Amino acid sequence: MKKIISLLLVFTFGLSSCEKDDICDPDTPTTPRLVFTFYKINSPSELQNVTDLMVIGEGEKAGIIFNETATDTTKYLANGSTISIPLKTNALSTTYTFVLDSQNDNPAAINTDAIKINYTHNDVYVSRACGFKTTFTLDPLSTSPPLSVPFVQSDTDGNGLWMQEVFVINPNIENENETHIKVFF
């Protein structure tokens, strides 16, 4: 009888220590990236594709990977009207260099602009399996009138700004399904 009770206790404790597997569903939203959409400067409602755009983070040697299937330098190139770039989760600003026509044989055709983006961030609990994600709010440089924009744009190569007008459309970066910044060139 003692053996049966002991066996039942061991079995009961064995079952109580089992817990379901925590696996984060791949469709669960994670930390969103900042979405840029490009438009024609002369036709503000018409999308404009960038050509061989390379985006390089400050202090980085390689650009952001836009094409994961490519094995050469083309993996760093964006050719389209929308790009998504990550923001640092451990800082209050991120600086990127945007190199338009980066693969052009004519060095004079390559144009480089830099943008320093200022923001605040908030860690949001998703689940035990997925942990936390970070959301961002673009932060104006000045709160006194006139209100300032949350970025500093500069012409790093002296060729003139190829991003002629930059507007914040949505300062709350909570998902990647909408444009946050519009760029006209």
Side-chain angles (χ1 to χ4, degrees):
M1 184 70 162
K2 288 183 182 182
K3 288 183 180 180
I4 293 174
I5 293 175
S6 298
L7 184 62
L8 285 174
L9 285 173
V10 169
F11 182 71
T12 304
F13 285 121
L15 287 178
S16 68
S17 66
C18 294
E19 55 184 76
K20 72 175 200 161
D21 290 337
D22 280 339
I23 298 173
C24 186
D25 182 4
D27 295 331
T28 302
T30 58
T31 298
R33 295 174 291 174
L34 180 64
V35 178
F36 283 79
T37 303
F38 300 95
Y39 292 87
K40 290 184 176 183
I41 188 74
N42 297 330
S43 182
S45 61
E46 194 174 338
L47 293 172
Q48 172 80 1
N49 288 339
V50 292
T51 305
D52 293 337
L53 177 67
M54 185 179 291
V55 182
I56 305 167
E58 183 178 43
E60 299 293 325
K61 292 182 175 138
I64 294 174
I65 296 175
F66 291 110
N67 183 0
E68 294 181 11
T69 59
T71 57
D72 56 0
T73 57
T74 59
K75 67 183 174 183
Y76 303 113
L77 303 178
N79 290 294
S81 62
T82 301
I83 63 167
S84 299
I85 61 173
L87 296 174
K88 294 179 184 178
T89 58
N90 60 351
L92 296 177
S93 69
T94 302
T95 302
Y96 282 107
T97 302
F98 293 76
V99 185
L100 186 64
D101 290 330
S102 63
Q103 300 299 301
N104 198 312
D105 294 332
N106 179 4
I110 300 171
N111 198 333
T112 305
D113 290 358
I115 294 184
K116 178 181 179 183
I117 304 156
N118 299 298
Y119 51 86
T120 58
H121 52 80
N122 184 32
D123 292 330
V124 178
Y125 181 74
V126 177
S127 70
R128 187 170 77 185
C130 299
F132 288 84
K133 73 175 186 176
T134 303
T135 59
F136 304 93
T137 302
L138 298 178
D139 192 24
L141 299 172
S142 168
T143 56
S144 59
L147 289 179
S148 182
V149 293
F151 58 85
V152 176
Q153 185 180 8
S154 58
D155 178 21
T156 59
D157 61 3
N159 289 351
L161 293 171
W162 70 267
M163 290 189 255
Q164 296 175 25
E165 293 182 16
V166 180
F167 296 103
V168 174
I169 301 304
N170 184 358
N172 299 317
I173 304 163
E174 297 173 353
N175 63 59
E176 296 179 11
N177 300 332
E178 57 194 2
T179 298
H180 303 112
I181 296 181
K182 281 187 176 182
V183 177
F184 295 89
F185 74 103

